[in-house]
Amino acid sequence: MIRTAILTISDKGSKGERIDETGAVLKQLLEKEKYKVEYYNIIPDEMDEIVEELIKASDDLKVDLILTNGGTGFSKRDITPEATIKVIKKQVPGIPEAMRLNSLKITPKAMLSRAVAGIRNKTLIINLPGSPKGAVENLQAVMPALKHGIEILKGEASECAR
């Protein structure tokens, strides 16, 4: 069982001015794939709050996977990748590369995503877009490899040959 946290990064969502459809569809997809969503929160695009939530989910809750959604674009308030970089110990560039490659088949705007992925302790953190469609497409692009990567991270598997 992969223990997961979903963090929606949205100024409007955190104020109750927008319904978080993206977090809901991610939760639905994860549960369908037998992931256990143990934590969910909506927070504003504020560096300190994003960093605090990422550390809480990784260090205190000890989830295996944190999926953020929102804050990966070009807007002045889009700072999710920078917050993620502050807390990770190792980057995992192949994950956002695969997501962008897959998304480029759908829209040329995919190249504008600044999403990152990385490891903090035994937690994999992945930034996803804020739109429900984009978040699901990006997550589905990398899901086939996630379980194996997390098993290696947790010390439950050692071979990556195939």
Side-chain angles (χ1 to χ4, degrees):
M1 181 70 63
I2 296 176
R3 299 173 56 240
T4 308
I6 298 172
L7 296 177
T8 296
I9 317 299
S10 167
D11 287 331
K12 288 182 180 178
S14 68
K15 294 176 190 170
E17 297 172 1
R18 176 184 294 158
I19 295 170
D20 180 23
E21 296 176 18
T22 305
V25 298
L26 288 173
K27 184 176 189 289
Q28 187 176 40
L29 174 60
L30 289 167
E31 289 174 346
K32 179 182 169 199
E33 296 294 326
K34 307 295 188 243
Y35 287 66
K36 184 176 182 187
V37 178
E38 293 193 350
Y39 184 72
Y40 164 77
N41 202 2
I42 305 173
I43 57 173
D45 296 85
E46 294 292 341
M47 182 67 72
D48 292 343
E49 289 187 55
I50 299 168
V51 166
E52 183 179 304
E53 284 289 304
L54 291 171
I55 291 171
K56 174 184 173 179
S58 174
D59 298 9
D60 299 341
L61 302 176
K62 298 188 183 333
V63 298
D64 304 313
L65 174 66
I66 301 170
L67 298 177
T68 69
N69 67 88
T72 61
F74 281 20
S75 160
K76 182 178 180 179
R77 300 280 297 158
D78 290 338
I79 56 167
T80 304
E82 289 75 20
T84 302
I85 289 168
K86 276 189 169 195
V87 304
I88 61 175
K89 309 236 191 273
K90 297 178 183 178
Q91 288 197 36
V92 184
I95 290 174
E97 288 168 3
M99 293 187 315
R100 280 187 280 272
L101 181 63
N102 185 67
S103 292
L104 277 168
K105 296 173 187 172
I106 301 164
T107 175
K109 293 177 186 173
M111 70 180 74
L112 303 178
S113 171
R114 299 180 317 102
V116 298
I119 297 167
R120 177 180 177 87
N121 303 322
K122 292 189 174 185
T123 302
L124 175 61
I125 303 170
I126 302 174
N127 300 155
L128 297 170
S131 77
K133 183 179 183 292
V136 167
E137 288 169 356
N138 278 262
L139 182 55
Q140 286 176 328
V142 298
M143 267 190 130
L146 287 187
K147 286 184 182 179
H148 184 66
I150 291 168
E151 287 170 353
I152 292 170
L153 193 56
K154 292 167 62 173
E156 296 172 359
S158 60
E159 295 296 321
C160 246
R162 293 193 224 206

